[in-house]
Amino acid sequence: MVLKVIRTDLFGGRRHPSSLRVRWFILTVLVVRGLAAQADENPAPTPPTESTPAPEQEVPESPPTEPAPAPEPPRPEEPAPSQSLPPSAPEQSPPTETAPLPSTPAPPAPTEAAPPATPEAPPSASVPEPAPNPPSPGDTRTGDAAPSAPESPASAPPPDPEEPPVLPQEPPEVLVNVVGSRPARAPGSVQVIGSRQLERFSYDDPNAVVQQVPGVYVRQEDGVGLRPNIGIRGVNPDRSKKLTLMEDGVLFGPAPYSAPAAYYFPLMARMAQVRVIKGPSAITYGPQTVGGAIDYISRPIPTEPTGTADVGVGQYGFVKTHAHFGASTDHFGFLIEGVRLRDGGFKHLPNDGDTGSTRNDWMVKARYEPDPFAVRRHTFQLKLGYADEVSNETYLGLTDEDFRRDSDQRYPASALDQMKNHRTSMVWTHQYDDEEQKLKVKTDVYRHDYARIWRKVNGFRGAALSSVLEDPENPTNAEFFAVVTGAADGATASDTLLIGPNDRTFVSQGVQSLVSFEPTTGPVQHGIEVGARLHGDSIIRRHSQTGYVMTDGDLVPEGTAEEVTTANTAETIALALHASDALTYHRFTLTPGIRTEVIWSKLEDRLAAQTSKRQVIAFMPGVGAYYAVTEALGVLAGTYRGFSPPAPGSDDYVEPEYSINTEAGLRYSDRPLRLELIGFFNDYQNLTDVCTFSSGCLDADLDRQFDAGEATIAGLEAHAAHEVPVGPLKLPIWLSYTFTRAKFDTTFDSQDPIYGSVQEGDEIPYVPRHQFGGSVGLEHQLGGFVAGAYYVAPMREQAGRQPLAEVVATDKQFWMDAGAKVRPLDDLEIYLNVRNVLNARNIVSRRPYGARPNAPRWVQLGVRLHL
Amino acid sequence: MSAVRLMLYRSLSSVGPSCLLAAVLAIACTENPREVFRVKTSPADPRDEDAPFSGTEDSDCCESDSADSSDTESLPGVTEDDGPDASASTGSTETNEGTDVASDDARDAGLGTDESQTAETDEANDPGVVPLPNDDELAVLCGPAPVSNAAFTQEALREAAADCAVWHYCRFAEVAEVLDARVAAHEDEPSEGSLDAARVAWQAAMTSWSQVELFQFGPLGSRSDSAGKDMYEGQGIRDLIYAWPTTSRCRVDEQIVTESYATRGMDGALISGRGLYGLEALMFYSGSDTACTSNVVEQWDALSDAERSSRKNAYASAISDDIVQQMRQLIELWSPDGGNFRATFVGAGGEYPDEHEVMKVMAWSLVYLEREVKDWKVGIPAGYTLTHPVSGPETPHALMGTENIRANLEGFRRLFQGCGADGEGLGFDDWLAEAGHSQLANDTIDALDAAQALADVFPPLHEASQAELDELYQALRALTSLLKAEFFGAGSPLNLELPGGIEGDTD
């Protein structure tokens, strides 16, 4: 076996080879020694020593006893192994300098007959070398990319010089730690979408990216993913408010505690990796732990001067401009990246108004290492970000009848709707690594400022838009429907359209720190993580609206004064602590942990001149276990307490959301094959719901929390990924299936129309019973092709138990995407993406006002130049 | 209207219909600049035309008084040649003599009196005019008020409420039949007398309907209204008969121009321009202008006066006929021989998920007093309600505001306390007593008595002073506060919740 190690920096960037040769060699030796030690049933790796001689090769090779392949220059823009090691939120295991080696105790060899490392053993040793040329379109694995090391170094055969090269060369592996363990040995479900898989389809829609992961549900809204609605394991997907959302381990939501609705999402083009964490591992992240967490890993700083320019064009005025450039020296490194997405919108207004959007997202990273060669090393990084958006998007959908006639039309009542927002972000990170002590301390100081103004039609003075569009034939609704469509002029105060900006200003800031170390107690290896975060966020709301009269198809100001409907400020200060220890004894790893959230929140209602305060203390214990049946096959199980904090200002009788989440399953990981089958059962003591406009709530109920009582959500997740070599080609395959059953165990009435009047036994809305996805590709070094197919069963749009055919539900959704790329030159890539190849048009949601379509068939063609 | 019923009416009727137009117009012209709610704004704004929140005086009556031929020519059924006469009759104080007769006529029909019912014409005694039924006649046609003496159960309460609702529907339907006949007669032979007769019938119908407003559950109710709705079995029939506050004279004018009701049926007419309001605009508004500002204006101006009058009469006839048809359908739906909704309602069947939901829907009918009456009818002119979807006062041309409120309160009593004239029979008060909250029941009835007593002596709404409006508003608030804070809500002894959209009101 050929062992290759790529030295990477702690923030994901690859170090300059010439400056790291010594340490690469050290690490290589350590890996080899570690493997050998495991073969000898000695799981403790040997600590590195400064006196280890350095190899001359740029990239560490196999042990000296093995013939070394010709060194291949790494592809700079490819994330190195530790790039995939996320910069690590303080609540996650920090990235290791040499991949996951230090972070996960090497498990003992299962048997004498299978002496070498377990599949997860010495990950760094099995990390492949980056491709010398632009790599294959991507990684087929959506799961963790735990390297398989089926053979010990000693037994690895030398490479056959006659053997045709397996192509294309893969980019570095995705290696992350979850609660002290790599994903392959994680006690819970962890899925990682690597850079290659991201590049295969080059999705700009965050919904499409995460929909590849089992157990993740999406309620589409605008067709392009401006404001994703993502749920995990049955939680309400509205504005992804029940998930913990992070970029590089730092919460990125505008105000994750005070207003968890995620009105900001980073552009996917900036991302090198997406991690989805479910199960007991979720207690490491917060504040939302009921469903899970998603961590988006941004592009790392490259080791060499590297850049990429990407220009794409497509139907509906689509223009994508994306460029990044970065470089490093021994002490310094930087990266600058910008993305601009523009489309003219696939919907059309009667007045031919613009329905499209323009989004810009800029990021600058700078890193400084005073002494990159020290055993005890400090690294500083500053990440600055700026993003803005102007989108002519609306909450107004269509009646079902109009949808079937022309799903892309928009009613003239939405002609003035427009969202404007901008965001600035700063994250300062310090990381301390003590390789001798296997101690890491990573600290982030962050602040995000976000402001948004969404002018949109909110309804009529005398009727709710949702009611009107649900039943336009109703005599009462017909009056208003005629005005919405412009068929009749406004003639009463009741049918005056209320349009106005919801102006919100957010601040999210804090400091978080994570300490991880890996001591050994007799035969037990530990992977201890202790994290703390002091976070504060706030939201200032000012919602207003003005009357507009539909006149000859145009919206004419009524002339009345602006009406302020909401004026309040919500603030939260939260202290989060967590600790866990991955205890490994032979084949068994037990990971107990606990998370604590202490939350002080305040809501000041300026209209009512009322202020309410609340304090919540929550404890979330959890435990997970993994047993390695064989090198590749493991059994996992775990349970933990899920938590979702109450909205600021909620009454004392409104309880936080608590659940007992349990899962168990099997995982087979023998690279490149990965299989996972996990069943889950979430038992909610008190399911909660926070009202938003996007779910159709009334102004008076906005951001109020409602208790939904007991509920149970159970399901099964299956996932398979493989890359089948076919001569000079590679056949990446990926499959995913989710079965979910979600029901309320309590009878209650909710002001949120998603729930409405709920009877015990009613099914929870927006949870598809079945969801399937899969893709297959054919890839060569000179190009490739990939096709994906997705199916989402109809979802009920309101709680109930009647058959779906008898209630309001989304359409059965089946669509296909395809991508192809050719590489006529080493540095030049031409790609073609076709979204929704079959042009399936479905009602994907009726929230908040009427039926919304998915995007139509959308052809996009681009050129990518690697510098 | 059936021939048998016509004969019955004629044989029983001792008092003919009266024309109240002159008095109506005279009252409406009374200047009261403070009351921006009760007089019309400039006709230039179509939505304010009937919703005089912002200013000027009611053009219909005042313009009539001015004896401007351009005003009188648009009176329905009164052509240009009739103009001067119509103007004279409507503006004359001599017609005050007929006020009592007309009021008695309406009162005899169990409809109470109104400040606007102050006129009578000689045509009232015209044997060709279909008489309005009085209480005795209605008792023959619909029976006496159904008073339930059963012991309280929730099912018995639903039964009592269902019977009371149907009884009210029947009484209104009988008056509507007369209204339809008189409007048809006016269409056939337009004259001042036939117009006045139709107006009187409309007033009687409006008063009767104001009691029905409190019984908006079942098919009468709306599934989409945020208050007082029946999201399970509502069919929105109420809005087809009376859609206030979603009313617009422009919508009526659109029908005059397009006549889409004639080509597409009444489905071609939006609710804001049909029903009782549509009739009111057609029969009581005397101006010749249109309330519309868009391209309808050009078509409107292209019509001759005679053509407009003819079209108005035809549309009025279509509306009144539609009201009758809607009521027949409603009664049919409730009838054991028809849709038998009564069994559905009493048995908590159909789309109702359980018994409690039926009780909740039924109780939500009481919320009409909180929103429509307290907040809109009184709260807006009194200055308490600043945010609302209301274009203008109820019955802006006939000026029956106070009378409507009186009838609303009476309807509330018949549902809350019992269907008897003085509240006898099963009502929500019995449910409260059964739940051990007799005090809340008594307090509610006391507050209702106080509000009713005040309403009974209340001046015409458009003439009320600020102090009088304040007093009435507070009286109503005392009643509805009990509803919101104790009858409904988190502490409700009956576990009843307020409908959405009610909690965040001006209180």
Side-chain angles (χ1 to χ4, degrees), chain A residues 476-477 479 489 491 493-494 749, chain B residues 47 239 251 270 272 389 391 497:
Chain A
T476 306
N477 295 340
E479 173 85 24
D489 288 350
S494 295
D749 285 327
Chain B
R47 292 165 306 101
D239 285 343
R251 288 274 189 265
L270 298 175
S272 55
S391 297
E497 299 160 0

Side-chain angles (χ1 to χ4, degrees), chain A residues 790-801:
Chain A
Y790 305 85
Y791 169 81
V792 178
M795 297 180 281
R796 64 179 67 245
E797 302 218 39
Q798 191 173 40
R801 66 183 66 189

Side-chain angles (χ1 to χ4, degrees), chain A residues 481-538:
Chain A
F481 183 61
V483 175
V484 168
T485 59
D489 288 350
T492 72
S494 295
D495 60 31
T496 293
L497 286 157
L498 298 174
I499 298 173
N502 286 351
D503 188 344
R504 303 176 191 173
T505 303
F506 303 79
V507 175
S508 174
Q509 57 189 343
V511 56
Q512 60 186 19
S513 194
L514 176 71
V515 179
S516 62
F517 54 104
E518 298 165 357
T520 300
T521 306
V524 178
Q525 287 184 295
H526 299 264
I528 297 174
E529 290 186 1
V530 178
R533 179 178 65 204
L534 181 62
H535 174 93
D537 60 40
S538 65

